[in-house]
């Protein structure tokens, strides 16, 4: 009796890859949200100053 596991391996690998990409996306989104929360005011002030340099009020 011969059992082949090749047919289930690619599907399993695709599922694992999808989970890895999902975890990576969650980490990246969390990092961006944290940075925006911590530095949002500073970034806004920097863009305002840059805009004032380009187009003086």
């Amino acid at each position: 009796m011969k059992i082949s596991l090749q047919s289930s391996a690619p599907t399993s690998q695709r599922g694992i890859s999808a989970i890895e990409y999902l975890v990576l996306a969650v980490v990246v989104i969390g990092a961006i949200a944290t940075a925006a929360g911590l530095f949002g005011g500073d970034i806004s002030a920097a863009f305002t100053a840059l805009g004032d340099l380009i187009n003086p009020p």
Side-chain angles (χ1 to χ4, degrees):
M1 187 166 148
K2 188 176 183 181
I3 298 175
S4 174
L5 297 176
Q6 289 180 338
S7 63
S8 65
T11 304
S12 176
Q13 288 294 333
R14 283 189 215 138
I16 291 171
S17 293
I19 291 171
E20 289 172 349
Y21 283 121
L22 177 64
V23 169
L24 180 62
V26 168
V27 169
V28 169
I29 290 170
I32 290 171
T34 301
L38 291 174
F39 304 113
D42 295 334
I43 293 171
S44 177
F47 277 114
T48 300
L50 182 63
D52 289 343
L53 287 174
I54 295 171
N55 294 320

